[in-house]
Amino acid sequence: MGRSKYTKYKAAIERLGFRQLDVYRMKDKEIIRLQRIADGRVYVVELPKRRDELTVDEFIKLIKEALARK
């Protein structure tokens, strides 16, 4: 059985110390709820594009930028 194409994005989130709770997919963007493993705090990150339109490096950069603003 093949792995989902989104597995690499979830693994990138886990490397940053977060757990992916939900992903809300819209026509032109996605909203991801993340939980920081260290203290359980939940963050909502809105991506300007869908994950499959981003490379993993672009995805990580957008996540870090969004978390830095919060």
Side-chain angles (χ1 to χ4, degrees), residues 1 3 5-7 11 19 23-24 26 29-30 34 41 47 59-60 63 66:
M1 202 184 304
R3 291 173 50 163
K5 63 182 176 180
Y6 299 109
T7 303
R19 181 173 39 187
V23 177
Y24 301 97
M26 279 102 187
K29 65 181 179 181
E30 289 185 346
L34 304 174
R41 184 169 175 197
L47 298 175
F59 175 73
I60 291 171
I63 294 290

Side-chain angles (χ1 to χ4, degrees), residues 42-70:
V42 175
Y43 297 88
V44 178
V45 176
E46 185 173 328
L47 298 175
K49 298 180 181 179
R50 293 170 59 163
R51 288 172 294 168
D52 51 357
E53 297 172 357
L54 299 167
T55 66
V56 175
D57 292 332
E58 291 172 326
F59 175 73
I60 291 171
K61 181 181 173 200
L62 289 170
I63 294 290
K64 285 182 177 180
E65 289 173 358
L67 293 173
R69 289 189 299 257
K70 299 196 183 249

